[in-house]
Amino acid sequence: MEQATKHMIFVSIFVILFNIASHKALSQPLSNSTKHFVLVHGSGHGAWCWYRLVPLLRSSGHTVTAIDLAASGIDPQQINDLRSISDYIKPLRDLLASLPPNEKVILVGHSLGGLALSQTMERLPSKISAAVFLTALMPGPSLTISTLNQE
């Protein structure tokens, strides 16, 4: 892909996320207007893939957490040790469960990270103010993560 095209895609992603962060409908019970973004990588990646976006969001005053799902990035587990997609997504659920009671995040998922967002939205809806599926797998009303787990 041409360097100029890559740059335009990156700038577009940042503009979309910045607009979400500044939108009043997503306001959180915080003393200031900062948002907490949780960035979820796609398959074959890790938290490292967000290296350009993290400093831009932080320089705008937001909290940013880019996580490694199980057996990805620097996570020491091996893919063969995971029994299910739920095991793969566990680091995201653990992160959200560890947040203070009133804190909500904006989830951003790419590729297979969309499955992680979907499952987390089902299991921990009180922790999420918005979810952004960035060219991500997005199960719908008749094909939920629960349906996929049963199949």
Side-chain angles (χ1 to χ4, degrees):
M1 186 181 295
E2 186 178 316
Q3 184 67 20
T5 304
K6 287 180 184 179
H7 187 272
M8 286 302 296
I9 291 170
F10 175 71
V11 169
S12 299
I13 291 168
F14 176 73
V15 168
I16 290 167
L17 293 176
F18 185 77
N19 284 334
I20 288 170
S22 60
H23 194 275
K24 289 184 180 184
L26 298 177
S27 64
Q28 299 178 38
L30 298 175
S31 59
N32 56 31
S33 64
T34 65
K35 306 294 181 219
H36 185 173
F37 287 86
V38 175
L39 308 177
V40 183
H41 62 81
S43 61
H45 290 93
W48 57 265
C49 74
W50 301 103
Y51 77 96
R52 286 186 171 178
L53 185 58
V54 169
L56 291 173
L57 288 169
R58 285 185 179 150
S59 70
S60 296
H62 302 291
T63 302
V64 183
T65 304
I67 66 161
D68 283 315
L69 296 175
S72 301
I74 63 170
D75 186 273
Q77 297 179 77
Q78 296 298 307
I79 195 71
N80 294 335
D81 297 333
L82 304 179
R83 297 178 325 270
S84 67
I85 192 74
S86 189
D87 287 348
Y88 176 67
I89 297 167
K90 188 177 183 309
L92 177 59
R93 290 192 318 270
D94 291 347
L95 170 70
L96 294 187
S98 73
L99 295 174
N102 293 328
E103 185 173 348
K104 291 186 174 201
V105 301
I106 298 171
L107 290 179
V108 180
H110 171 66
S111 182
L112 188 61
L115 262 181
L117 268 61
S118 179
Q119 185 188 76
T120 306
M121 290 169 67
E122 284 183 22
R123 293 186 180 187
L124 297 164
S126 65
K127 293 296 193 179
I128 303 163
S129 63
V132 179
F133 289 78
L134 187 62
T135 62
L137 185 58
M138 187 176 176
S142 63
L143 183 62
T144 64
I145 189 69
S146 298
T147 307
L148 290 172
N149 283 338
Q150 290 171 2
E151 292 179 7

